[in-house]
Amino acid sequence: MKPTAYILSDNMISSLGFSTQEHITAFRKGQSGISTYNTLDSSFFVSKVNEQRKKEEWAKLNVQEEYTNLEQLFILSISKTLENTGINPQSKDTLFILSSTKGNIEALSQSNNANAFLGKMAKNVGKYFNLSYQPQVISTACISGTLACVFANRYIRSGRYKHVIVSGGDIISDFTLSGFNSFKALGTTSCKPFDKNRDGVNLGEGVGTILFSSKKRAQGNNIYIGGGASSNDANHISGPSRTGDGLFLTIKKAMEQAGLSSNDLGYISAHGTATPYNDEMEAKAFHLAQLQDVPLNSFKGYFGHTLGAAGILESIGGIQSLLHNELYPSPGFEEIGVSQTVPVIKEHKEKQMNHILKTASGFGGCNSSIIFSKE
Amino acid sequence: MNHNLNITASCRIRDGKVYLNNKEVFNGESSEDFPAFIKSAYQNLGLKYGKFHKMDSLSKLGFIASEYIFSEMDVGSLDKENTAIVLANSSSSLDTDIRHHNSIKDASNFYPSPAVFVYTLPNIVMGEICIKNKIQGENAFFIFDEFNAQTLIEPIEILFEETETKACLGGWVEFLEGKYEAFLFFIEKESNKGKLAFNVPNMNQLYL
């Protein structure tokens, strides 16, 4: 029997707070953290971490050394995740994986741009935890976070590691805002995933961390990874597939690995960026996988597209749904706006579930899916 | 661990030269810079592929290395849904990141381009290789400080152990401010072609 990757602990940091619990409270109310932000002579709808709150949280750690804004968020999220777990990140049977798309990209504005290297960022974060090894970094566009969880499962199942700490993060920067804006991919209001009036993505910042372990939680209520996969559309570097076949392939492989059929899934935490093409592609993939009746939401309406953190934050959101047997509404959604209809969750409600799916897709044509199951 | 995994092809591009399976197959040392060199390698391969000219340097480098590897293989016979690509480097897409950054740092001279921005992710090179060869399997891009055979082997071994992956294009593809290096290899399970075990000594031998 191969070991199983159980979730021991997690943490979410975004505009909605610095703990998973604060996020659940907001999800139950359908409360979004998206607001306007002025930069580059324009106004953008984004989700920003509260600066004052971050200063207070950081001060509690009483750190003398200098860390960048994103490194501080990583350190806070990982510290909170490890609290009371008894897991020592320095031990040889523990692996650290960080996921990020742009890391400390703002360091390009500084005379010494060494911090702009993702490996340097990982080393800085690792230094705080006195790691003797360098954390691995996965940087695979918007599937980075989901893929980090998929690899965590594989590392644990293979018996190579007993514990894997997966932490994903990205921040709001002029770099990403100007880039997505040049693509005309940014929404002109709070984003509306799967809605007929959706017109683009809101960028968000945050960090999500999950501690996976081959050991179960002593207090019960165990959730584990059932399966996961990634793929490439082999179609276009910046546009989603017109058929959804690449994403469908990952759903199919993840379900096969988990030994599940479409009837077994209770809920989908979709990528749902609120761009016209992404949501259309995703709906097609769900139909191909015969998941057209499974309720779904997109957490982008709560805290925007957090890039390298998205797959982890949105997995934790889904895991909490599964754990508490409840569905969280998808903010910004009013009327279905994809050609093949899917049941987008409009209000907070109870639902008994045993398995859920998290999907992600990104530039470069990449896709990833992961299934979380209740023991 | 015995995986019966073999390196069935490898390509190294460094200092104006291309080595396929450890033999020099192209010398472009006379090219004055990387754009001229990589274009001469493209011509050497006899490729006619318009998308190549739109790629950034990192993508061109990885794409050309992959084309050398595939030049001696029957790509059509691959199980496309179970052929993976796992690449790594140290500077991610920083070379193109700097280009995008320079295009936005002056408010009075602001010209971000979507054609540049799309390449500000390291995995785009995998997308380019997948599009050309219709490869749809596992995709992952890792960042390591420097080339290290062991750290690169581990995630690839895991794909063969834990997924239905039948073959994997793996390797190191690094480009920053004119400095470049590519070392790509093709890994197959229980292949009869040139039995070279996928392990650290063999990888280091090929990388030298």
Side-chain angles (χ1 to χ4, degrees):
Chain A
M1 266 281 279
K2 282 175 182 285
T4 300
Y6 294 97
I7 290 146
L8 273 195
S9 171
D10 57 54
N11 168 264
M12 303 171 88
I13 297 179
S14 81
S15 57
L16 295 175
F18 277 68
S19 66
T20 302
Q21 191 53 49
E22 285 167 272
H23 283 78
I24 298 172
T25 304
F27 298 155
R28 285 176 177 155
K29 290 188 273 187
Q31 177 199 326
S32 170
I34 292 163
S35 59
T36 55
Y37 170 68
N38 297 323
T39 187
L40 301 167
D41 289 333
S42 305
S43 185
F44 298 97
F45 282 81
V46 303
S47 163
K48 288 274 286 175
V49 169
N50 183 303
E51 187 57 30
Q52 187 54 38
R53 174 82 186 275
K54 196 210 75 184
K55 278 186 185 146
E56 290 163 19
E57 295 282 346
W58 183 249
K60 287 184 208 162
L61 292 184
N62 200 13
V63 180
Q64 306 306 318
E65 295 80 18
E66 276 202 26
Y67 289 96
T68 67
N69 179 32
L70 179 59
E71 287 161 8
Q72 291 180 15
L73 292 172
F74 268 121
I75 290 167
L76 281 166
S77 181
I78 295 163
S79 300
K80 286 170 185 284
T81 303
L82 292 176
E83 254 170 42
N84 308 320
T85 61
I87 300 296
N88 176 4
Q90 297 147 25
S91 80
K92 270 199 154 47
D93 55 11
T94 302
L95 177 71
F96 231 106
I97 307 178
L98 296 186
S99 73
S100 184
T101 63
K102 299 316 307 167
N104 293 316
I105 195 66
E106 289 176 322
L108 288 183
S109 303
Q110 297 160 2
S111 53
N112 176 1
N113 66 12
N115 279 330
F117 285 80
L118 288 167
K120 179 74 173 10
M121 179 192 77
K123 202 175 271 177
N124 292 346
V125 172
K127 195 175 65 186
Y128 177 86
F129 295 98
N130 293 316
L131 299 189
S132 56
Y133 57 96
Q134 175 146 358
Q136 252 186 31
V137 179
I138 290 184
S139 188
T140 313
C142 303
I143 71 165
S144 300
T146 315
L147 193 57
C149 296
V150 169
F151 267 94
N153 182 39
R154 292 168 181 164
Y155 279 120
I156 287 175
R157 281 173 58 87
S158 76
R160 281 176 168 79
Y161 297 94
K162 287 194 176 129
H163 316 291
V164 181
I165 300 158
V166 164
S167 189
D170 267 301
I171 49 169
I172 295 285
S173 65
D174 287 353
F175 187 101
T176 46
L177 277 171
S178 64
F180 278 92
N181 198 36
S182 75
F183 254 100
K184 306 198 188 308
L186 295 180
T188 56
T189 61
S190 272
C191 68
K192 301 172 180 296
F194 298 100
D195 189 83
K196 79 176 174 63
N197 293 319
R198 71 186 183 279
D199 71 350
V201 67
N202 299 148
L203 293 181
E205 64 185 8
V207 173
T209 306
I210 305 178
L211 169 60
F212 293 103
S213 174
S214 56
K215 284 196 322 197
K216 292 182 198 184
R217 286 169 9 144
Q219 64 268 45
N221 279 337
N222 278 291
I223 307 278
Y224 63 94
I225 301 178
S230 67
S231 77
N232 196 288
D233 291 332
N235 173 57
H236 198 280
I237 54 166
S238 59
S241 150
R242 294 299 170 106
T243 62
D245 67 330
L247 180 59
F248 166 59
L249 181 61
T250 66
I251 298 172
K252 192 177 83 166
K253 285 181 174 180
M255 290 197 343
E256 280 169 6
Q257 193 184 5
L260 300 179
S261 69
S262 52
N263 297 329
D264 297 319
L265 289 171
Y267 155 76
I268 303 168
S269 169
H271 190 50
T273 61
T275 63
Y277 290 125
N278 174 82
D279 297 2
E280 178 69 18
M281 178 282 289
E282 255 191 305
K284 284 179 180 164
F286 296 146
H287 275 258
L288 287 171
Q290 296 183 306
L291 297 173
Q292 64 274 10
D293 298 324
V294 180
L296 65 87
N297 69 3
S298 162
F299 285 100
K300 304 287 191 297
Y302 289 101
F303 43 63
H305 191 343
T306 53
L307 306 178
I312 299 175
L313 287 173
E314 296 165 14
S315 282
I316 300 171
I319 290 162
Q320 294 301 324
S321 276
L322 179 60
L323 199 56
H324 300 291
N325 290 305
E326 58 184 354
L327 299 176
Y328 305 127
S330 200
F333 179 78
E334 286 168 30
E335 196 179 330
I336 195 74
V338 287
S339 65
Q340 299 191 31
T341 192
V342 285
V344 183
I345 302 161
K346 277 186 156 172
E347 54 200 27
H348 178 221
K349 59 185 161 199
E350 285 184 18
K351 184 181 180 184
Q352 289 295 320
M353 297 178 277
N354 293 312
H355 310 277
I356 65 151
L357 170 70
K358 166 76 202 127
T359 56
S361 299
F363 275 172
C366 51
N367 305 283
S368 185
S369 291
I370 187 163
I371 287 169
F372 294 98
S373 297
K374 200 184 276 172
E375 197 174 50
Chain B
M1 226 171 281
N2 181 14
H3 295 92
N4 297 320
L5 296 181
N6 290 302
I7 307 167
T8 54
S10 69
C11 176
R12 195 168 74 235
I13 302 180
R14 196 190 278 156
D15 303 328
K17 291 179 185 166
V18 180
Y19 301 83
L20 182 59
N21 303 325
N22 234 0
K23 284 189 212 92
E24 187 182 309
V25 289
F26 177 66
N27 187 327
E29 279 179 306
S30 57
S31 307
E32 62 182 34
D33 56 12
F34 177 79
F37 161 65
I38 205 70
K39 195 175 170 190
S40 64
Y42 167 85
Q43 287 161 344
N44 175 254
L45 278 163
L47 290 171
K48 290 204 168 40
Y49 190 66
K51 289 192 177 84
F52 172 79
H53 306 287
K54 294 182 186 167
M55 295 179 197
D56 76 341
S57 299
L58 180 68
S59 289
K60 280 182 175 167
L61 179 62
F63 176 81
I64 290 297
S66 74
E67 282 300 304
Y68 273 102
I69 283 183
F70 292 139
S71 68
E72 292 201 337
M73 285 175 42
D74 178 11
V75 179
S77 69
L78 291 175
D79 175 354
K80 301 294 175 69
E81 292 189 352
N82 290 305
T83 298
I85 303 194
V86 177
L87 299 179
N89 73 9
S90 74
S91 67
S92 181
S93 54
L94 272 180
D95 189 76
T96 299
D97 293 357
I98 291 167
R99 281 185 65 200
H100 176 69
H101 174 74
N102 288 340
S103 76
I104 62 163
K105 68 180 176 187
D106 180 359
S108 62
N109 187 17
F110 196 78
Y111 55 95
S113 151
V116 173
F117 183 68
V118 69
Y119 287 100
T120 62
L121 292 163
N123 60 298
I124 302 300
V125 58
M126 302 194 298
E128 297 284 13
I129 296 169
C130 287
I131 290 168
K132 171 69 166 46
N133 300 288
K134 299 288 160 226
I135 290 171
Q136 291 205 279
E138 293 282 340
N139 265 224
F141 203 105
F142 289 86
I143 309 291
F144 303 126
D145 270 1
E146 55 187 6
F147 173 80
N148 177 314
Q150 185 55 50
T151 42
L152 200 46
I153 285 174
E154 196 173 52
I156 294 174
E157 278 184 345
I158 272 188
L159 282 183
F160 283 98
E161 286 170 35
E162 301 297 328
T163 74
E164 298 299 311
T165 296
K166 304 279 192 307
C168 179
L169 177 72
W172 180 257
V173 54
E174 166 69 25
F175 188 97
L176 183 59
E177 294 176 323
K179 289 191 187 139
Y180 62 91
E181 179 180 63
F183 171 50
L184 263 55
F185 44 82
F186 200 72
I187 307 301
E188 290 177 87
K189 215 172 194 170
E190 293 163 16
S191 167
N192 293 321
K193 290 179 280 183
K195 287 254 182 193
L196 186 62
F198 182 46
N199 59 31
V200 173
N202 285 341
M203 288 277 283
N204 283 334
Q205 188 71 32
L206 289 170
Y207 177 72
L208 277 180

